[in-house]
C-alpha cells in the first residue's frame, strides 16, 4: 500500500492540494468495488492520481467499443485485474456489406495478450469481430476459468470452433451465438459438452441452421439446473421443445424452435401444460413458422412476458392480436411487417406498458405495403411510454411523425427507415424535414437517430439546433450540400458515432467536425463527395485520429469513397490490409 | 409474387470478387450535389457504369440498403416460398385419372423431371414416358400440374427449379383429354 494514500489529513476547503482530504486506499477500494458502470468508473479515474490508481487496479470489466482505438498492451497495462471484456470491431455498416472482407478486427491479437495478462479471464463478449476456429480453440485452451462467451454479428468461425469451446471450457456458464456469419458444418458440437458439465446458465444457438443432437441437448438441459436462458434453433420441433420445457421449468428466457408440424391433441395439451409450469418466463423469441394452429400453446405464459421477439415469424395481424391481447405486460416487442397496420393497431390497444418496438421488413424489395404511417401513429397513441422505435416502412408522412412526437415525447432512440431512398412525404410530396424536425424539437432526451426519406439541409439544421443529447446518427441518401453535415457537426455536442452514406457532403463538411472528432468514437462516410485531399488535411490537423480510406478497385483515385475516422491511442493500424490506407 | 431465382436472370454489377447473394450494385453519388430522387439516382448510376451495358437496376437494388443484417434478410426471404422449405420436403398431392386413391409425393426427393416421372411411374404402375416439346407425351397418360395461379399446366415446360416452387398439385391425365394449345 502506498503510504501516502493511507493517511487521512485534516479536511480543508478550497483548492489547496496540501489540505485536501485523502481517503485510505482500502476505503477507496471498497467503494469503487461497488461501482460497476463503465461511465462512472471513467469519471472516477479522472478525479486524481490516487483515484485513478485505485480504480484501475480494481476494475473487473472493460468495454472496448472500437478495437482499434487502443491496443491490447495498453489495456492490460492499465487494468491488470480484468475478468470480463467486451470488444467491438468493425464499423456498423459492415453488417450491410459496406466493408470488404478481411478488413480486420481479428480477435486473436487480443487473445494472445490476454493469455499472459488475464489468465483468469472469465467473460468475453464480441461484436463485429473476426473470429476463427483457431481463436476459439485458443480461448478454450488458455483460460481455465473461462465462463461466458457471447458473439454477435461476428464471422470467420464454424461449428468446429464451438466444439472446442464445448470440450475444454469446464466452467462454462454462457454460450450465446447470435446472428453470426458462422459456417455451420453441422456435426455434433453440442455433444462435445462433457457429461460432468452442469454449470450452463445461458445457451443460445438459435441462429445455427443445422441439426444438433437432441439427445445431447436433452441431457445437457436436464443436468444444468441453473439454466435460465435457452434459445434453440429451427431444427427443434414443438414436441422436442415440450420435453425440454419439462426439464427446465425454471427458464427465464426461451427461444422456440419451429412450430411447423402438426401435433396430435395429446401432445398439444402436454406442451401447454409444460408452458404453464414455466412461471419465470419473461422473454419468448423465435416462433419460426408459427400459425394460429399451435400458437395457443404459449398463451399460458403470455401474461408474464416483458419481451416478445416475433421477428423471425411472418405472422399476420390476427395471430398478433391473439398473442398481444394476452400479453398486457409487454415492455419490448419485435415483429415483422407482415403484421401490417392492423397488427400495429393491436399493439396500440393491448400494450400500454410498451417502451420499445421494432418492425422489420419481410422483403425489403417487395413494393407491397407492409406497415405505413398509420400503424406508427396507432402505436404512439396507445403506448405513451414508447421511447425506442425501429421502423421499416415503404411510405411515411410528416404529419404522422409530428403526431408521433407529440404522443411520445420521451424518445431516446428514433430509427425510421423509409425503404425507398429519398422518398418524400407520400401525401404532400414534400421532403421529410418537418418530421425529423418535430422529433428533435420535442424529444429532448434523444440519443440515437436514424433518418431516411427525402431530406434537405433543413432537416440537418433542425438536428444541429435541437438534438443536444444526440450520440448516434445514421444518415443515408439525404441532404443538399456540405451545410447539412456542418449543421450537425457544429450543433450536436455529444456526438459519439456518425455514419453517413450516399450524401452530397464533401471535404468542407468532413473538416467541419474537427473539434468534434476528439470526443467522438468514430465517423463513417461512404459514397459521399469526400476527396483524398480532404482526408489528408484532416489527418494532418489531428494526429491522434486514424483517418482510413478503404480503396475500391477502379474508380477515381482522387476520391475517398469510404472513409473511416476514429480516435485512437494506438496509432495507425499495424494489421491494415492493402485496401485500407491510413493517411 | 415472383419466385424466379433472381440470380439466374439478373445482370450483376457487384464489386469484383464480391459474393453477395442479392443482385446488388454500388450506388455512385460522388458527383451529385443536387437533391436526388431515387429514379434520378438510378439513371445516373447506369450512366456511370455504362461500360457494363446492363439494364438500369431497380430502385431497390443498392448495396446494403435497406439496412437489414444479412442473417435476417436470409431467413425472412426464405419464407416467401409457399411450400415449407425447412427440410421436411415439398409434399404435394398426386391424382391419377381412374385411380381410386390420391397419393402424396415429396418433390424434394427428385433432382429432375426424369426422376419425377420415374417415381410417378413406379407409384402408379403406368407408363408416362418422357416428354418432348414437340411431340408431347408419347403414351397413354400425361402429367399435369396446378401452379400457384390455379392454372393447369403440362409438366415439363419450365425449368425444374421453377417447377419446384410453383407446383401445387399433380394430376396424371389421360392423354386423350389433354388439349394441345
Amino acid at each position: 500500500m502506498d503510504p501516502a494514500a493511507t493517511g487521512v489529513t485534516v479536511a480543508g476547503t478550497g483548492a489547496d492540494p496540501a489540505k485536501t482530504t485523502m481517503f485510505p486506499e482500502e476505503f477507496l477500494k471498497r467503494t469503487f468495488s461497488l461501482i460497476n458502470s463503465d461511465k462512472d468508473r471513467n469519471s472516477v479515474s479522472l478525479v486524481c492520481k490516487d483515484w485513478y490508481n485505485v480504480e484501475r487496479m480494481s476494475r473487473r470489466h472493460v468495454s472496448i467499443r472500437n478495437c482499434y482505438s487502443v491496443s491490447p498492451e495498453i489495456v492490460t497495462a492499465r487494468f491488470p485485474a480484468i475478468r470480463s471484456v467486451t470488444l467491438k470491431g468493425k464499423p456498423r455498416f459492415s453488417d450491410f456489406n459496406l466493408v470488404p472482407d478481411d478488413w480486420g478486427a481479428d480477435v486473436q491479437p487480443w487473445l494472445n495478450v490476454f493469455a499472459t495478462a488475464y489468465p483468469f479471464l472469465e467473460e468475453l463478449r464480441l461484436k463485429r469481430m473476426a473470429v476463427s476456429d483457431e481463436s476459439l480453440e485458443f480461448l478454450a485452451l488458455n483460460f481455465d476459468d473461462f465462463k461466458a462467451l457471447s458473439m454477435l454479428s461476428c464471422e470467420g468461425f464454424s461449428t468446429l470452433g464451438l466444439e472446442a469451446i464445448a470440450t475444454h471450457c469446464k466452467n462454462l456458464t454462457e454460450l450465446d451465438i447470435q446472428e453470426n456469419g458462422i459456417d455451420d458444418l453441422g456435426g455434433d458440437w453440442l455433444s462435445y459438452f462433457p457429461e460432468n458439465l452442469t454449470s450452463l446458465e445461458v445457451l443460445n444457438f438459435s441462429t445455427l441452421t443445422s441439426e444438433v443432437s437432441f439427445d445431447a441437448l436433452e441431457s445437457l438441459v436436464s443436468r444444468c439446473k441453473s439454466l435460465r436462458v435457452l434459445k434453440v434453433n429451427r431444427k427443434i420441433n414443438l414436441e422436442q421443445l415440450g420435453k425440454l420445457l419439462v426439464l427446465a421449468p425454471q427458464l427465464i428466457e426461451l427461444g422456440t424452435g419451429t412450430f411447423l408440424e402438426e401435433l396430435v391433441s395429446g401432445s398439444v395439451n402436454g406442451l401447454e401444460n409444460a408452458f404453464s409450469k414455466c412461471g419465470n418466463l419473461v422473454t419468448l423469441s423465435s416462433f419460426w413458422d408459427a400459425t394460429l394452429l399451435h400458437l395457443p400453446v404459449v398463451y399460458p405464459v403470455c401474461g408474464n412476458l416483458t419481451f416478445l421477439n416475433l421477428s423471425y415469424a411472418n405472422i399476420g395481424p390476427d395471430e398478433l392480436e391473439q398473442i398481444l391481447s394476452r400479453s398486457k405486460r409487454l415492455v419490448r416487442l419485435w415483429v415483422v411487417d407482415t403484421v401490417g397496420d392492423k397488427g400495429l393497431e393491436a399493439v396500440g390497444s393491448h400494450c400500454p406498458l410498451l417502451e420499445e418496438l421494432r418492425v422489420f421488413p419481410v422483403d425489403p424489395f417487395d413494393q407491397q405495403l407492409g406497415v405505413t404511417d398509420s400503424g406508427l401513429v396507432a402505436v404512439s397513441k396507445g403506448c405513451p411510454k414508447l421511447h425506442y422505435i425501429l421502423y421499416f416502412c415503404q411510405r411515411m408522412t410528416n404529419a404522422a411523425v409530428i403526431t408521433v412526437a407529440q404522443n411520445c415525447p420521451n424518445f431516446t432512440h428514433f430509427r425510421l427507415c423509409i425503404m425507398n431512398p429519398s422518398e418524400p412525404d407520400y401525401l404532400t410530396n414534400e421532403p421529410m424535414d418537418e418530421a425529423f424536425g418535430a422529433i428533435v424539437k420535442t424529444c429532448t432526451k434523444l440519443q440515437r437517430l436514424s433518418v431516411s426519406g427525402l431530406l434537405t439541409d433543413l432537416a440537418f439544421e433542425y438536428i444541429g439546433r435541437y438534438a443536444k443529447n444526440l450520440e448516434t446518427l445514421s444518415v443515408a441518401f439525404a441532404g443538399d450540400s456540405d451545410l447539412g453535415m456542418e449543421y450537425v457537426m457544429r450543433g450536436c455536442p455529444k456526438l459519439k458515432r456518425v455514419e453517413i452514406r450516399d450524401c452530397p457532403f464533401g471535404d468542407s463538411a468532413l473538416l467541419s467536425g474537427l473539434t468534434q472528432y476528439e470526443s467522438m468514437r468514430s465517423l463513417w462516410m461512404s459514397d459521399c463527395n469526400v476527396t483524398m485531399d480532404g482526408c489528408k488535411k484532416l489527418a494532418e490537423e489531428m494526429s491522434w485520429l486514424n483517418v482510413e480510406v478503404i480503396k475500391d478497385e477502379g474508380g477515381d483515385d482522387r476520391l475517398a469513397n469510404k472513409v473511416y475516422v476514429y480516435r485512437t491511442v494506438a496509432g495507425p493500424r499495424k494489421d491494415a490490409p492493402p485496401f485500407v490506407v491510413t493517411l | 409474387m415472383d419466385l424466379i431465382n433472381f440470380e439466374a436472370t439478373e445482370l450483376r454489377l457487384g464489386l469484383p470478387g464480391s459474393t453477395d447473394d442479392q443482385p446488388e450494385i454500388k450506388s455512385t453519388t460522388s458527383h451529385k450535389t443536387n437533391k436526388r430522387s431515387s429514379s434520378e439516382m438510378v439513371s445516373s448510376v447506369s450512366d456511370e457504369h455504362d461500360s457494363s451495358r446492363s439494364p438500369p437496376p431497380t430502385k431497390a437494388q443498392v448495396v446494403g440498403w435497406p439496412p437489414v443484417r444479412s442473417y435476417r434478410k436470409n431467413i425472412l426471404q426464405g419464407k416467401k416460398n409457399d411450400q415449407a422449405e425447412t427440410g421436411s420436403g415439398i409434399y404435394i398431392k398426386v391424382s391419377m385419372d381412374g385411380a381410386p386413391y390420391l397419393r402424396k409425393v415429396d418433390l424434394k426427393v427428385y433432382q429432375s423431371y426424369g426422376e419425377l416421372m420415374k417415381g410417378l411411374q413406379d407409384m402408379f404402375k403406368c407408363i408416362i414416358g418422357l416428354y418432348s416439346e414437340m411431340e408431347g407425351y408419347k403414351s397413354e397418360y400425361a402429367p399435369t400440374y396446378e401452379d400457384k395461379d390455379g392454372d393447369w399446366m403440362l409438366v415439363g415446360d419450365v425449368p425444374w427449379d421453377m417447377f419446384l416452387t410453383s407446383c401445387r398439385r399433380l394430376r396424371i391425365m389421360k392423354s386423350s383429354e389433354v388439349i394441345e394449345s
Side-chain angles (χ1 to χ4, degrees), chain A residues 95-98 152-153 179 207 234-235 260 288-289 311-312 314 334 360-365 392 417 419-422 476-477 480 501-502 504 527-529 552-553 559 561, chain B residues 15-16 20 22 24 26-33 35-38 41 59-73 75-77 79-80 84 86-88:
Chain A
D95 282 349
F96 318 125
N97 298 329
L98 287 180
L152 173 59
S153 207
E179 296 191 5
T207 54
R234 203 172 178 182
K235 292 294 189 183
L260 195 57
W288 281 293
D289 319 301
S311 64
Y312 297 158
N314 290 359
W334 296 16
F360 295 93
V362 65
D363 183 355
F365 304 118
F392 285 86
C417 181
M419 288 191 278
N420 247 343
S422 309
F477 306 104
D480 299 324
R501 60 166 294 178
D502 294 278
D527 291 295
C528 298
N529 289 350
D552 286 329
E553 278 188 39
L559 296 175
N561 220 17
Chain B
L15 286 173
D20 294 337
Q22 264 123 26
E24 290 170 332
K26 273 188 58 123
S27 63
T28 53
T29 57
S30 10
H31 303 300
K32 299 293 171 209
T33 51
K35 261 185 278 193
R36 272 182 313 283
S37 69
S38 41
M41 176 184 74
K59 281 186 207 179
Q61 291 169 340
V62 174
V63 173
W65 188 264
V68 177
R69 261 192 211 130
S70 312
Y71 172 78
R72 206 174 268 287
K73 259 193 201 154
I75 50 157
L76 290 176
Q77 289 191 333
K79 298 198 154 205
K80 271 191 76 174
T86 57
S88 54

Side-chain angles (χ1 to χ4, degrees), chain A residues 17-190:
Chain A
K19 295 229 177 90
T20 50
T21 310
M22 293 198 306
F23 294 103
E25 191 176 308
E26 200 46 50
F27 175 85
L28 288 177
K29 254 192 191 164
R30 297 265 180 107
T31 314
F32 293 173
S33 69
L34 300 171
I35 303 174
N36 291 320
S37 137
D38 284 349
K39 241 183 176 175
D40 289 342
R41 274 189 168 262
N42 289 342
S43 309
V44 154
S45 66
L46 291 173
V47 169
C48 65
K49 234 180 170 176
D50 285 336
W51 284 39
Y52 175 91
N53 276 323
V54 176
E55 192 281 315
R56 77 179 187 90
M57 299 298 287
S58 64
R59 199 186 288 217
R60 291 298 221 222
H61 169 258
V62 68
S63 250
I64 300 150
R65 294 193 175 84
N66 173 2
C67 65
Y68 289 116
S69 64
V70 71
S71 73
E73 290 82 5
I74 295 175
V75 174
T76 53
R78 177 171 170 190
F79 301 116
I82 296 290
R83 298 283 167 109
S84 163
V85 176
T86 299
L87 194 52
K88 297 184 186 177
K90 301 181 197 176
R92 194 177 78 97
F93 277 0
S94 69
D95 282 349
F96 318 125
N97 298 329
L98 287 180
V99 176
D101 293 339
D102 303 327
W103 177 85
D106 187 359
V107 75
Q108 189 61 44
W110 291 86
L111 294 178
N112 290 336
V113 174
F114 289 167
T116 27
Y118 301 148
F120 306 116
L121 188 70
E122 293 176 359
E123 295 183 3
L124 190 60
R125 296 177 198 288
L126 304 175
K127 190 169 182 182
R128 293 191 200 100
M129 296 292 295
V131 182
S132 66
D133 287 337
E134 289 73 30
S135 292
L136 289 177
E137 193 176 24
F138 184 92
L139 177 66
L141 292 172
N142 286 282
F143 300 89
D144 291 332
D145 284 352
F146 193 71
K147 293 196 168 80
L149 176 63
S150 152
M151 294 193 280
L152 173 59
S153 207
C154 297
E155 62 180 355
F157 62 103
S158 75
T159 36
L160 289 177
L162 299 184
E163 282 174 18
I165 298 288
T167 308
H168 300 293
C169 298
K170 309 259 174 275
N171 299 310
L172 201 67
T173 58
E174 179 175 339
L175 182 59
D176 187 337
I177 319 291
Q178 277 188 73
E179 296 191 5
N180 296 296
I182 179 174
D183 208 351
D184 193 336
L185 302 173
D188 244 343
W189 61 272
L190 205 68

Side-chain angles (χ1 to χ4, degrees), chain A residues 507 529-536 549 551 554-561, chain B residues 31:
Chain A
D507 296 337
N529 289 350
V530 176
T531 70
M532 290 299 284
D533 286 340
C535 294
K536 283 188 190 134
V549 175
K551 301 295 289 167
D556 194 335
D557 270 338
R558 292 162 301 168
L559 296 175
N561 220 17
Chain B
H31 303 300

Side-chain angles (χ1 to χ4, degrees), chain B residues 36-54:
Chain B
R36 272 182 313 283
S37 69
S38 41
S39 54
E40 199 182 307
M41 176 184 74
V42 163
S43 55
S44 72
V45 165
S46 55
D47 286 342
E48 307 274 355
H49 290 295
D50 221 349
S51 51
S52 320
R53 305 221 159 269
S54 321

